[in-house]
Amino acid sequence: MKSSPHRPSIELLFKRGLGSAEIARRLQISSSTVRNVVAAIKKRGDASEVKKSGRPRSVNTRNTRAIIKKRIIRNDGLSLNRMASQLGIARSTVQSIVKNDLKLKSYKLRRGQYLSDKSKAMRLEKCRKLLQHFQVRRVSDVIWTDEKIFTIEPLPNRQNQRQLLSKDDSMSPKRRLAHNRLFPKSVMVWAGITATGKTPLVFIERNVKINSEVYQKIVLMDNLLPWVTQHFAGGPFILQQDWAPSHGSRSTLAVFPDLNPMDFSVWGMLEGKIAVKVFATVDDLKAALEVAWASIDDGYLRRTVNSVKKRLRACVKARGSNFEILL
């Protein structure tokens, strides 16, 4: 029965001896309302409303679940807020149905390199060969090398970099916008790691053309060879190189797959350490990179290098395709 604001008046008049029809006439309400209240008075002795026991009726029904499931199948990127608004129910209800009833979980959409069927086949073959190779050789014997260009104006992380500003400062373009020159000054950096150590950083100036001869002289002979001699003390090692034109000469080592700890971990970590600052000069950038490089500890190197075989197995499982979601 729907609650009536006339309950107290009906009770008072009834207890004075008036009948239901007269009470309805005096209060100008329907006779059915009066009869319902009077019946409650006779049953319980007063007209107070009885509170219903149990939980309120849920909108998590079979029909609601079916509608949500159908919409997700049609568009798995549909936001929960939008779905709740369209269905006229609470977001928490939609979230509960998605998580508990449909057993779905939200995942970030990852960016991946496009790979042709030919590229996938080549990656699969190389990964299999490397896994066979690491059955007789240790992954810790490999020197993983790569090069990367760093600029004096690193781009901010638009997803994670936030600012705490007052309402007035939030309207200031100077505070809210990160500006970058069209061609900021930069330097190419070469580096390598093993499971037990890291090479010196090698800075190659922008105006230096990197060919096989320059690569062998500046990188291999002047920097890598002295480090290898000291670090491995005459022991065996394997040099891995990323694919680049200067490495492709017959006088340098053969190329290995692009599943490189320098690329999938080290460069990103190094970039993150310096990303919050804009540098006045290339020398300032170099100094910051040296500090960040020195802060990398052996525990990080060991974990990163040891993950290579796991990534190789994932690449094989993915048949040479993008495999990060399998890790």
Side-chain angles (χ1 to χ4, degrees), residues 62-101:
R62 179 182 298 179
N63 184 53
T64 303
R65 293 192 293 271
I67 292 174
I68 291 176
K69 182 178 181 180
K70 185 176 181 180
R71 293 193 178 195
I72 292 175
I73 292 174
R74 191 164 57 235
N75 178 12
D76 59 15
L78 186 63
S79 74
L80 299 188
N81 286 334
R82 184 176 180 183
M83 204 180 319
S85 176
Q86 291 174 345
L87 296 176
I89 59 178
R91 184 190 188 279
S92 58
T93 300
V94 176
Q95 187 174 23
S96 176
I97 291 173
V98 169
K99 179 180 179 181
N100 301 322
D101 297 293

Side-chain angles (χ1 to χ4, degrees), residues 113-127 315 318-322:
Q113 178 186 2
Y114 171 76
L115 297 170
S116 65
D117 290 341
K118 183 178 180 180
S119 298
K120 293 175 186 177
M122 291 177 59
R123 282 164 56 90
L124 178 60
E125 180 184 0
K126 289 176 181 178
C127 287
C315 185
R319 308 293 299 174
S321 186
N322 297 304

